[in-house]
Amino acid sequence: MRAQSSATASPRIAVDATGADTGGASFGTVQAALGVVAFSLTFPATAWGLEGFGPWSLIAVRSAAAAVAGSCLVVLRVAPPERRHWLGLAVVGAGVVLGFPLLTTLALQTSTTAHAAVVVGLLPLTTALLSALRVGTRPSRTFWIAALAGAAAVIAFTVQQSGGALTSADAYLFAALLVCAAGYTEGGRLARVMPGWQVIGWALVLCLPLTVPMAAIALSLEPVRLTAHAVTGLLWVAIGSQFLGLVVWYRGMAAIGIPKASQLQLAQPLLTLVWSVLLLGEHLPVAAPLTAAAVLVCIAVTQRARG
């Protein structure tokens, strides 16, 4: 029997590929948190990948690796989504498959992973704002105060670390915020009516006509040096961050709501800072522990605030 591309679900309940109910708030929070952990490794993995691949090769190959998702869809005989969902899937693909990897990889050519991580720390607030506009969510005043406080902490940290001057890398990162927030919002909406792994799976497949030719051209023009770091970094951003991480992330968003799930990402910059020290040997800023404490308090408040 062919698996259905969509399933009937309440606005706060996600359904997995077997039809099991994953709508419990606690389980949804765990899934969203696992997605955040996966995403927190993206920048260090990208830095590793850039040790052996050119920026355009890394971007294209990580996206073309979406053939894995396509294979899963074919093997499981998943029926294509309904026509009305394809535009939303295109937004997911443009935001999280193409736009965010492209812009952040370009930024990491001149920016440290630590600096990039704190700038992208504004992603939760950006996602909450877009979700309010797109799906009509109306979080409470307490939620917004806590979210703005968390964003303010991230901005203060960024300005302090950059000496008050923004760079071209920051421009790439701020653009990445917008396109990724759009992809997260649309993906969270679609995950309410189809399994989360199918949302990212179809978005990745939708991008293959662009990413496969891009990979072939980029690899022919940019030198490639296969090292353990480069291959590990590429595999993680292609499969860990861009597929497995997004599967649990979208399921988590469908279960607990886009605004609350997005605020869990306030912890992502701090996790990335830890990975940047452990994996890349970067210097951990003195202000990081204070920022971490402020951000974790904001997360606790947003998770308790009623939407």
Side-chain angles (χ1 to χ4, degrees):
M1 181 179 293
R2 291 168 64 86
Q4 297 299 312
S5 63
S6 62
T8 302
S10 69
R12 299 299 294 256
I13 296 178
V15 178
D16 66 15
T18 63
D21 178 4
T22 62
S26 296
F27 188 48
T29 300
V30 169
Q31 291 182 100
L34 287 174
V36 170
V37 173
F39 300 153
S40 71
L41 282 161
T42 300
F43 286 172
T46 299
W48 272 9
L50 287 171
E51 292 180 12
F53 294 89
W56 293 99
S57 297
L58 182 62
I59 296 162
V61 173
R62 70 173 278 184
S63 299
V68 174
S71 300
C72 292
L73 293 168
V74 171
V75 170
L76 295 176
R77 298 182 180 180
V78 177
E82 298 176 21
R83 182 179 299 179
R84 61 193 176 95
H85 296 320
W86 281 108
L87 180 59
L89 290 170
V91 173
V92 175
V96 302
V97 178
L98 298 176
F100 188 77
L102 169 64
L103 294 165
T104 54
T105 300
L106 293 175
L108 286 171
Q109 291 185 95
T110 57
S111 171
T112 65
T113 58
H115 181 80
V118 291
V119 174
V120 175
L122 294 175
L123 183 57
L125 180 59
T126 309
T127 303
L129 288 170
L130 288 184
S131 71
L133 295 173
R134 178 67 179 92
V135 300
T137 55
R138 294 293 182 269
S140 67
R141 180 178 299 177
T142 301
F143 176 95
W144 284 116
I145 291 174
L148 288 170
V154 171
I155 291 173
F157 183 87
T158 305
V159 171
Q160 188 268 334
Q161 291 300 306
S162 63
L166 298 180
T167 65
S168 59
D170 292 321
Y172 286 131
L173 292 170
F174 285 127
L177 287 176
L178 294 176
V179 298
C180 190
Y184 280 173
T185 299
E186 204 63 26
R189 185 186 67 81
L190 289 171
R192 295 177 174 182
V193 295
M194 69 175 72
W197 75 272
Q198 290 185 26
V199 173
I200 186 58
W202 286 114
L204 287 164
V205 169
L206 195 61
C207 294
L208 284 177
L210 290 175
T211 56
V212 170
M214 279 177 57
I217 295 172
L219 288 172
S220 68
L221 297 176
E222 293 180 332
V224 174
R225 186 166 59 92
L226 296 180
T227 65
H229 275 185
V231 173
T232 301
L234 174 61
L235 289 176
W236 181 258
V237 294
I239 300 175
S241 300
Q242 192 158 256
F243 184 53
L244 299 178
L246 283 168
V247 168
V248 292
W249 174 243
Y250 282 143
R251 289 177 61 169
M253 281 201 295
I256 66 176
I258 297 172
K260 284 193 175 183
S262 70
Q263 297 314 297
L264 288 174
Q265 279 198 303
L266 284 169
Q268 184 175 323
L270 288 308
L271 289 173
T272 300
L273 287 177
V274 174
W275 298 130
S276 70
V277 172
L278 296 178
L279 301 178
L280 303 175
E282 292 186 1
H283 174 67
L284 183 65
V286 176
L290 294 177
T291 308
V295 165
L296 290 176
V297 169
C298 292
I299 291 175
V301 174
T302 58
Q303 294 307 295
R304 290 178 177 276
R306 292 183 178 180

